[in-house]
Amino acid sequence: MLRVLDIVEGTSVDGPGLRTTIYFAGCRHHCPGCHNPQSWDMAGGRAMSIDEIVKVVERNGFNVTFSGGDPLYQVEGVTELARRLKVLGYSIWCYTGFLWEDIKSAPEYDALLSLVDVIVDGPFINERKDTALRFRGSANQRLILVRQSMMSDYPLEWDDYDSSL
């Protein structure tokens, strides 16, 4: 079971094209100026099974974004959900307040990284807020191509060239 605050079907702000965004409960980053502070409660939202979430995603067939809160605080369940969605052919983006370098070096995230297409990393920094940026809230956050970056010494960023992600 996963703690889910909301599932928004047909959004266009959390990655390219129309997407289904799953907002997971729980975040310990507590970024000042966070647009979703109600997501900080680790016991917030409601418990949903992976089957229930997959049914919502399949209803529209849009690619998927994990957001929150921070999905990495529920990494085991989120990884299993990602596994199920990848088998069905969905692209997955994942927002996190953790930095790519820390995620890449932590073995507990390896399985999830093998399934996610793009990681939007880094905490929201209110002083670096920029509403002109696509798919992120502050200039420090990066849109990282996961597969390509895993084979590189540095993170490679998504740059609108592949709308299939």
Side-chain angles (χ1 to χ4, degrees), residues 1 13-14 25 29 40 48 70 72 84-85 87-88 95 132 151-152 155 159:
M1 298 296 277
V13 298
D14 298 319
H29 303 294
W40 296 354
M48 289 185 74
D70 193 321
L72 297 189
R84 292 270 305 274
L85 294 171
V87 166
L88 295 170
Y95 283 76
M151 298 181 287
S152 175
D159 190 17

Side-chain angles (χ1 to χ4, degrees), residues 130-149:
D130 185 345
T131 57
L133 294 170
R134 284 188 79 195
F135 310 133
R136 57 194 185 267
S138 59
N140 62 295
Q141 296 170 315
R142 302 172 291 181
L143 309 171
I144 298 171
L145 294 161
V146 175
R147 272 186 296 285
Q148 297 87 329
S149 297

Side-chain angles (χ1 to χ4, degrees), residues 89-133:
Y90 293 99
S91 161
I92 301 171
W93 281 40
C94 182
Y95 283 76
T96 180
F98 293 102
L99 294 175
W100 167 255
E101 293 77 8
D102 297 327
I103 299 164
K104 184 179 176 184
S105 66
E108 63 265 31
Y109 303 124
D110 287 350
L112 181 61
L113 289 178
S114 72
L115 301 163
V116 170
D117 298 290
V118 174
I119 290 270
V120 183
D121 84 328
F124 171 76
I125 298 176
N126 208 22
E127 295 77 25
R128 300 203 56 203
K129 180 178 180 177
D130 185 345
T131 57
L133 294 170

Side-chain angles (χ1 to χ4, degrees), residues 49-95:
S49 71
I50 290 172
D51 286 340
E52 288 175 291
I53 298 169
V54 169
K55 284 180 187 173
V56 173
V57 170
E58 287 187 298
R59 185 167 44 226
N60 292 303
F62 302 134
N63 285 320
V64 178
T65 298
F66 297 157
S67 192
D70 193 321
L72 297 189
Y73 285 112
Q74 298 185 63
V75 69
E76 288 180 20
V78 168
T79 299
E80 184 53 34
L81 174 60
R83 192 172 283 119
R84 292 270 305 274
L85 294 171
K86 284 309 261 191
V87 166
L88 295 170
Y90 293 99
S91 161
I92 301 171
W93 281 40
C94 182
Y95 283 76

